[in-house]
Amino acid sequence: MNSSTSRRRIYVPGDTGARSLGADDVAAALVNVTAVADNGYEIERNGTRGLYWLDPLLEVETASDRVAFGPITPADLDTLLTPDGKPNTQHPRHLGNVEDLDALKRQNRLTFERLGRTRPASLDDYRNNGGYAGLGKALAQSPQDVVETVKQSGLRGRGGAAFPTGIKWQTVLDAEGNQKYIVCNADEGDSGTFADRLVMECDPFALIEGMTIAGFATGASKGFIYIRSEYPQAISTMAQAIETATEAGYLGDDVLGSGTSFHIEIRKGAGAYICGEETSLLESLEGKRGTIRFRPPLPAIKGLFGQPTVVNNVISLATVPIILREGAEFYRDFGVGNSRGTLTVQLAGNAARGGLYEVDFGMTLGEVLNDLGGGTLSGRPIKAVQAGGPLGALIPPQHFDTPLDYEAMQTVGGMLGHGGIVVFDDTTDLGALARFSLEFCAIESCGKCTPCRIGAVRGTEVIDRIRAGENADANRILLDDLCDTMIDGSLCGLGGMAPLPVKSVLKHFPEEL
Amino acid sequence: MTQEAEIREIASQHAGMDGALLPILQAVHERFGYLPPPTTGAVADVLNLSKADVHGVVTFYHDFRTKAAGKHTIRVCRSEACQAVGAEQLAGHARKRLGIGFHETTPDGRYSLDPVYCLGNCACSPAVMIDDKVYGRVTPERFDELVD
């Protein structure tokens, strides 16, 4: 068949997650499938759709849609196509048109509007699917108007702290400084989170565009992306995208001929969890130990190298382009209360259908866990979930009717954080998990403040005593007291929140300790 | 070229960067697989820092080794999402299979075993990383296949 009249493609996802499930083997084996070669199919690597229970998810392009098959192993490929080159709808792994998949239709993908639909390295794919329209609109406005749009959208920091992004930008815009900076926090260290990685590996230009808009809006001409070293593929994909964007005039001394200068540099982390805390990250970027800084001054006033600095999470920045493109009202119309727009839920651990679910704020925890996630992978009842990373409370089933909303989650002692939700079934030893949170805190503490540095170590010792039956009642009181000291006395979120899993186990599952 | 001269050269190449210390140490680590003993003194000298400053940074970050590692580094994730589907059993199996503990290297110099706290593959747990490649849903049997 003449490929110029009918370009045909088979997409195989190429992100770390799909590759970890054998996508590279599938892509390699596809080359040798007769029906693929004979019918002129090109094999392309897209990003994952984020439906990891179906990965590797193959998509065969037809004139009108893409037909999905998954999960696929090399052994499934011989019958993927009919002899005349059509997707084989009788194949046991045939899932129908990909956009009709229930798991996608029940989501509202805004930040991740292109996830899996494009080839990550292709600037053309990005532009043909809404990319760079937001930057175009931003450059036609004043920086203050752009900041105003972000404020009006209601976007709050998706890294976990949920601080209003527009207000942070306003502070930096108003601050005096010779060299302002945009720092992207891509040190996604929380267990159960991978949304930042998905942006960087599957839609890297969205982050570049978001940072460029942030730079224009605040008067910052230099951006850094601090990516954790555990993400080698995110680092290489981002580096390639930065090069492509620079060659095409989207980055550099004169962005799209607007007179605005913006450059981005990638820095690699070195395996310290604490560097996801913004002031610690700044210290690390300056080439120092990643110990946290006292606040004030805020980074927005005195940040990187003492200059006004926007520190934003990957998801926050990658959401900015669609807000600029579609307008503040468009984004603000989704969500509930003070949580506007969408939350990029990452369902992980013992979930039957783990993956990325971008949903409007306001959906309940139970709907995500059961309706979308399908309960546990093991098929056993859910005992608890941990939302918001390793420092988040363990939430028992009686609170699964809580809506996903920053404030509502706080009322049940939990937090949304970065949107990661880890599922545990009824075989889990929650006491061990509580101990682990303090053990982890002891390993990762930067050592600057005493409650965290010493408290975490003492806390694990007290839990060991309780679990060994030594003065259990007295030690429970001591543990609770120690947790309060850490929460109230620590300088940052690590020491301040690592006791939350412990407190939640003391409260909801006292017999587990 | 001596090891020290090579380290000095790497340091000089990066010395003009903002916050150059981390990128320099990472480049030296990349070149040698660890930070050889002359690193602290040589890098401190090039950047006009005290040896204590450099030593403090070297010892702060988990990624920096000061002894040579095995030919391949195996990192087993021990975070919550992986724990939820058997990471601790997998970690136990890995230690037994390789006959070493975490932060150790097999006597034949083939593998070093390290714990890692999240590889961002939390919907495909348990996760293991061997050098730069991540593997998902790793069972003990799969682990054996990977290291055989």
Side-chain angles (χ1 to χ4, degrees):
Chain A
M1 178 166 289
N2 186 340
S3 61
S4 64
T5 53
S6 171
R7 181 208 60 181
R8 291 179 172 206
R9 287 177 179 156
I10 297 178
Y11 289 94
V12 185
D15 82 303
T16 296
R19 293 178 65 216
S20 84
L21 301 174
D24 287 350
D25 295 340
V26 170
L30 259 181
V31 178
N32 299 319
V33 176
T34 317
V36 171
D38 287 358
N39 290 288
Y41 278 100
E42 296 164 21
I43 297 158
E44 297 279 355
R45 304 304 291 266
N46 59 342
T48 178
R49 296 273 175 169
L51 316 177
Y52 277 119
W53 70 100
L54 297 176
D55 262 325
L57 178 82
L58 245 63
E59 297 174 30
V60 180
E61 196 170 56
T62 65
S64 57
D65 207 325
R66 294 195 202 166
V67 180
F69 298 85
I72 286 291
T73 66
D76 299 318
L77 294 176
D78 283 340
T79 53
L80 184 73
L81 301 175
T82 58
D84 59 346
K86 294 200 173 71
N88 177 9
T89 54
Q90 302 305 311
H91 194 287
R93 301 288 187 206
H94 172 251
L95 299 167
N97 289 344
V98 67
E99 301 288 353
D100 294 335
L101 286 173
D102 191 49
L104 285 179
K105 288 175 91 167
R106 296 175 72 172
Q107 301 191 37
N108 184 16
R109 288 196 168 168
L110 304 179
T111 306
F112 281 107
E113 58 178 338
R114 281 170 298 271
L115 187 70
R117 294 173 53 215
T118 56
R119 293 165 297 175
S122 168
L123 183 57
D124 286 336
D125 281 9
Y126 183 67
R127 283 185 299 213
N128 293 337
N129 289 278
Y132 275 122
L135 177 65
K137 285 199 176 169
L139 293 174
Q141 304 172 36
S142 70
Q144 182 60 57
D145 286 344
V146 176
V147 171
E148 218 50 60
T149 300
V150 175
K151 273 192 214 165
Q152 293 301 323
S153 75
L155 179 66
R156 294 166 71 178
R158 296 286 188 259
F163 187 83
T165 305
I167 292 176
K168 192 182 273 186
W169 287 20
Q170 185 72 60
T171 309
V172 174
L173 173 62
D174 293 342
E176 297 284 333
N178 304 325
Q179 170 67 65
K180 298 178 186 178
Y181 295 102
I182 306 297
V183 171
C184 172
N185 183 347
D187 194 51
E188 183 174 54
D190 286 346
S191 173
T193 64
F194 47 85
D196 294 354
R197 178 179 66 71
L198 289 179
V199 168
M200 294 188 284
E201 292 184 351
C202 304
D203 199 19
F205 294 106
L207 176 56
I208 295 172
E209 184 183 355
M211 288 180 73
T212 310
I213 294 169
F216 171 73
T218 58
S221 61
K222 175 104 201 212
F224 286 98
I225 310 177
Y226 186 94
I227 310 178
R228 61 201 301 256
S229 61
E230 292 85 348
Y231 283 4
Q233 187 175 331
I235 292 172
S236 61
T237 307
M238 281 310 311
Q240 192 190 350
I242 288 169
E243 207 178 302
T244 305
T246 305
E247 280 166 12
Y250 289 99
L251 288 172
D253 291 331
D254 185 15
V255 173
L256 296 178
S258 65
T260 297
S261 168
F262 194 68
H263 296 263
I264 297 178
E265 195 175 321
I266 293 172
R267 288 296 170 88
K268 188 167 84 164
Y273 173 78
I274 190 62
C275 290
E277 196 283 334
E278 63 175 2
T279 62
S280 164
L281 187 154
L282 294 175
E283 289 288 299
S284 185
L285 268 180
E286 291 182 9
K288 301 172 191 161
R289 290 165 66 88
T291 47
I292 71 141
R293 293 178 182 173
F294 287 100
R295 273 175 298 202
L298 294 169
I301 308 284
K302 260 173 91 91
L304 188 61
F305 301 110
Q307 300 294 323
T309 304
V310 170
V311 186
N312 277 158
N313 165 260
V314 174
I315 300 295
S316 312
L317 288 164
T319 304
V320 165
I322 192 170
I323 290 172
L324 265 294
R325 190 184 80 211
E326 303 294 337
E329 293 73 23
F330 168 82
Y331 192 76
R332 198 182 52 204
D333 280 349
F334 303 103
V336 290
N338 287 324
S339 303
R340 312 308 313 178
T342 53
L343 177 69
T344 53
V345 173
Q346 301 125 81
L347 193 58
N350 198 336
R353 295 194 289 267
L356 180 93
Y357 294 96
E358 183 172 354
V359 296
D360 298 2
F361 282 102
M363 186 179 271
T364 68
L365 199 48
E367 286 174 280
V368 171
L369 295 170
N370 296 314
D371 300 352
L372 295 176
T376 62
L377 182 65
S378 60
R380 303 184 64 93
I382 298 177
K383 187 186 240 177
V385 299
Q386 187 172 34
L391 313 177
L394 286 149
I395 301 170
Q398 67 258 36
H399 290 319
F400 286 177
D401 57 352
T402 310
L404 297 174
D405 162 321
Y406 291 113
E407 282 70 30
M409 286 290 281
Q410 276 174 359
T411 63
V412 297
M415 64 168 182
L416 272 187
H418 188 32
I421 301 175
V422 179
V423 179
F424 297 96
D425 75 9
D426 64 347
T427 63
T428 310
D429 179 352
L430 295 179
L433 217 53
R435 185 191 186 281
F436 177 78
S437 79
L438 292 181
E439 184 191 347
F440 179 71
C441 180
I443 294 169
E444 297 297 339
S445 174
C446 82
K448 183 150 181 161
C449 71
T450 318
C452 172
R453 185 183 67 241
I454 308 289
V457 178
R458 293 290 172 260
T460 53
E461 292 166 359
V462 175
I463 290 177
D464 286 343
R465 273 183 231 127
I466 293 170
R467 285 168 73 84
E470 286 177 43
N471 287 330
D473 291 341
N475 274 320
R476 275 173 197 270
I477 296 168
L478 187 65
L479 180 63
D480 200 42
D481 205 33
L482 176 65
C483 285
D484 287 338
T485 304
M486 289 178 72
I487 291 167
D488 295 335
S490 297
L491 281 175
C492 83
L494 178 54
M497 297 197 293
L500 295 180
V502 181
K503 295 223 24 144
S504 62
V505 170
L506 279 171
K507 184 175 175 190
H508 299 297
F509 307 95
E511 69 287 354
E512 295 266 328
L513 212 60
Chain B
M1 204 184 322
T2 65
Q3 216 173 37
E4 185 178 343
E6 209 174 329
I7 293 166
R8 280 179 178 276
E9 190 175 289
I10 291 170
S12 304
Q13 281 164 2
H14 296 79
M17 294 172 81
D18 295 328
L21 181 53
L22 232 60
I24 289 172
L25 293 174
Q26 287 168 333
V28 173
H29 206 279
E30 177 83 23
R31 165 67 186 81
F32 297 101
Y34 71 112
L35 299 175
T39 304
T40 304
V43 173
D45 192 40
V46 172
L47 293 183
N48 199 23
L49 295 169
S50 71
K51 279 188 190 174
D53 282 334
V54 178
H55 178 74
V57 170
V58 168
T59 51
F60 184 86
Y61 294 96
H62 298 306
D63 281 359
F64 295 134
R65 297 173 182 280
T66 50
K67 287 194 183 95
K71 189 158 177 274
H72 302 286
T73 300
I74 300 177
R75 300 202 273 185
V76 178
C77 181
R78 303 187 71 188
S79 283
E80 289 84 349
C82 286
Q83 285 187 31
V85 281
E88 281 306 288
Q89 291 89 318
L90 181 65
H93 175 82
R95 284 184 296 229
K96 210 169 129 197
R97 175 69 177 72
L98 299 172
I100 52 173
F102 280 122
H103 306 291
E104 291 177 7
T105 300
T106 53
D108 63 1
R110 189 140 179 240
Y111 292 117
S112 291
L113 183 65
D114 286 336
V116 64
Y117 297 94
C118 198
L119 294 167
N121 200 30
C122 320
C124 315
S125 294
V128 168
M129 191 175 193
I130 302 180
D131 298 328
D132 268 0
K133 176 124 175 67
V134 177
Y135 299 87
R137 296 186 194 138
V138 180
T139 57
E141 297 73 37
R142 177 82 174 121
F143 183 86
D144 290 347
E145 285 168 26
L146 293 173
V147 299
D148 272 345

mmCIF file of all heavy atoms in Angstrom, chain A residues 474-489:
data_model
loop_
_atom_site.group_PDB
_atom_site.id
_atom_site.type_symbol
_atom_site.label_atom_id
_atom_site.label_comp_id
_atom_site.label_asym_id
_atom_site.label_seq_id
_atom_site.Cartn_x
_atom_site.Cartn_y
_atom_site.Cartn_z
ATOM 1 N N ALA A 474 1.500 3.377 78.282
ATOM 2 C CA ALA A 474 2.294 4.584 78.535
ATOM 3 C C ALA A 474 3.027 5.013 77.266
ATOM 4 O O ALA A 474 3.119 6.203 76.949
ATOM 5 C CB ALA A 474 3.299 4.332 79.663
ATOM 6 N N ASN A 475 3.514 4.043 76.535
ATOM 7 C CA ASN A 475 4.262 4.378 75.318
ATOM 8 C C ASN A 475 3.372 4.929 74.204
ATOM 9 O O ASN A 475 3.816 5.713 73.380
ATOM 10 C CB ASN A 475 5.052 3.163 74.830
ATOM 11 C CG ASN A 475 6.412 3.071 75.519
ATOM 12 O OD1 ASN A 475 7.071 4.092 75.721
ATOM 13 N ND2 ASN A 475 6.800 1.870 75.908
ATOM 14 N N ARG A 476 2.102 4.522 74.198
ATOM 15 C CA ARG A 476 1.174 5.107 73.231
ATOM 16 C C ARG A 476 0.994 6.598 73.494
ATOM 17 O O ARG A 476 0.956 7.407 72.563
ATOM 18 C CB ARG A 476 -0.199 4.429 73.307
ATOM 19 C CG ARG A 476 -0.299 3.182 72.494
ATOM 20 C CD ARG A 476 -1.621 2.475 72.761
ATOM 21 N NE ARG A 476 -1.528 1.111 72.283
ATOM 22 C CZ ARG A 476 -1.853 0.738 71.039
ATOM 23 N NH1 ARG A 476 -2.323 1.613 70.186
ATOM 24 N NH2 ARG A 476 -1.717 -0.510 70.673
ATOM 25 N N ILE A 477 0.880 6.954 74.768
ATOM 26 C CA ILE A 477 0.732 8.372 75.128
ATOM 27 C C ILE A 477 1.999 9.130 74.735
ATOM 28 O O ILE A 477 1.960 10.211 74.153
ATOM 29 C CB ILE A 477 0.441 8.512 76.649
ATOM 30 C CG1 ILE A 477 -0.904 7.860 76.965
ATOM 31 C CG2 ILE A 477 0.463 9.976 77.073
ATOM 32 C CD1 ILE A 477 -1.177 7.669 78.449
ATOM 33 N N LEU A 478 3.138 8.497 75.017
ATOM 34 C CA LEU A 478 4.423 9.116 74.674
ATOM 35 C C LEU A 478 4.542 9.315 73.159
ATOM 36 O O LEU A 478 4.970 10.374 72.679
ATOM 37 C CB LEU A 478 5.556 8.205 75.173
ATOM 38 C CG LEU A 478 6.981 8.749 75.053
ATOM 39 C CD1 LEU A 478 7.161 9.974 75.943
ATOM 40 C CD2 LEU A 478 7.993 7.668 75.457
ATOM 41 N N LEU A 479 4.106 8.307 72.416
ATOM 42 C CA LEU A 479 4.198 8.382 70.954
ATOM 43 C C LEU A 479 3.315 9.504 70.413
ATOM 44 O O LEU A 479 3.731 10.280 69.550
ATOM 45 C CB LEU A 479 3.785 7.033 70.345
ATOM 46 C CG LEU A 479 3.829 6.943 68.810
ATOM 47 C CD1 LEU A 479 5.246 7.123 68.297
ATOM 48 C CD2 LEU A 479 3.254 5.601 68.335
ATOM 49 N N ASP A 480 2.112 9.580 70.953
ATOM 50 C CA ASP A 480 1.180 10.618 70.508
ATOM 51 C C ASP A 480 1.769 12.006 70.792
ATOM 52 O O ASP A 480 1.705 12.920 69.972
ATOM 53 C CB ASP A 480 -0.154 10.425 71.235
ATOM 54 C CG ASP A 480 -1.286 11.123 70.506
ATOM 55 O OD1 ASP A 480 -1.314 11.045 69.266
ATOM 56 O OD2 ASP A 480 -2.120 11.756 71.174
ATOM 57 N N ASP A 481 2.376 12.120 71.963
ATOM 58 C CA ASP A 481 2.999 13.373 72.390
ATOM 59 C C ASP A 481 4.181 13.737 71.469
ATOM 60 O O ASP A 481 4.329 14.878 71.038
ATOM 61 C CB ASP A 481 3.497 13.159 73.831
ATOM 62 C CG ASP A 481 3.588 14.469 74.580
ATOM 63 O OD1 ASP A 481 2.754 15.346 74.298
ATOM 64 O OD2 ASP A 481 4.501 14.597 75.418
ATOM 65 N N LEU A 482 4.979 12.734 71.183
ATOM 66 C CA LEU A 482 6.132 12.946 70.305
ATOM 67 C C LEU A 482 5.673 13.382 68.914
ATOM 68 O O LEU A 482 6.258 14.284 68.297
ATOM 69 C CB LEU A 482 6.956 11.650 70.217
ATOM 70 C CG LEU A 482 8.155 11.674 69.257
ATOM 71 C CD1 LEU A 482 9.208 12.671 69.730
ATOM 72 C CD2 LEU A 482 8.781 10.281 69.163
ATOM 73 N N CYS A 483 4.605 12.753 68.425
ATOM 74 C CA CYS A 483 4.062 13.136 67.119
ATOM 75 C C CYS A 483 3.651 14.611 67.134
ATOM 76 O O CYS A 483 3.936 15.349 66.183
ATOM 77 C CB CYS A 483 2.866 12.261 66.752
ATOM 78 S SG CYS A 483 3.322 10.598 66.246
ATOM 79 N N ASP A 484 2.983 15.023 68.202
ATOM 80 C CA ASP A 484 2.553 16.431 68.282
ATOM 81 C C ASP A 484 3.754 17.374 68.290
ATOM 82 O O ASP A 484 3.731 18.431 67.670
ATOM 83 C CB ASP A 484 1.698 16.658 69.542
ATOM 84 C CG ASP A 484 0.318 16.028 69.398
ATOM 85 O OD1 ASP A 484 -0.104 15.814 68.234
ATOM 86 O OD2 ASP A 484 -0.318 15.741 70.421
ATOM 87 N N THR A 485 4.800 16.980 68.998
ATOM 88 C CA THR A 485 6.006 17.811 69.033
ATOM 89 C C THR A 485 6.604 17.952 67.639
ATOM 90 O O THR A 485 7.006 19.039 67.223
ATOM 91 C CB THR A 485 7.059 17.183 69.976
ATOM 92 O OG1 THR A 485 6.465 17.018 71.255
ATOM 93 C CG2 THR A 485 8.303 18.054 70.090
ATOM 94 N N MET A 486 6.641 16.835 66.923
ATOM 95 C CA MET A 486 7.182 16.895 65.554
ATOM 96 C C MET A 486 6.301 17.772 64.656
ATOM 97 O O MET A 486 6.795 18.583 63.883
ATOM 98 C CB MET A 486 7.288 15.482 64.956
ATOM 99 C CG MET A 486 8.391 14.636 65.575
ATOM 100 S SD MET A 486 8.451 12.959 64.891
ATOM 101 C CE MET A 486 9.100 13.293 63.242
ATOM 102 N N ILE A 487 4.990 17.584 64.782
ATOM 103 C CA ILE A 487 4.060 18.339 63.925
ATOM 104 C C ILE A 487 4.190 19.835 64.203
ATOM 105 O O ILE A 487 4.268 20.655 63.279
ATOM 106 C CB ILE A 487 2.605 17.860 64.166
ATOM 107 C CG1 ILE A 487 2.433 16.436 63.622
ATOM 108 C CG2 ILE A 487 1.602 18.814 63.516
ATOM 109 C CD1 ILE A 487 1.151 15.742 64.067
ATOM 110 N N ASP A 488 4.229 20.188 65.485
ATOM 111 C CA ASP A 488 4.248 21.615 65.838
ATOM 112 C C ASP A 488 5.631 22.234 65.729
ATOM 113 O O ASP A 488 5.765 23.433 65.514
ATOM 114 C CB ASP A 488 3.734 21.803 67.279
ATOM 115 C CG ASP A 488 2.277 21.399 67.419
ATOM 116 O OD1 ASP A 488 1.566 21.437 66.389
ATOM 117 O OD2 ASP A 488 1.859 21.042 68.533
ATOM 118 N N GLY A 489 6.674 21.429 65.920
ATOM 119 C CA GLY A 489 7.998 22.018 66.061
ATOM 120 C C GLY A 489 8.927 21.883 64.875
ATOM 121 O O GLY A 489 9.991 22.498 64.842
#
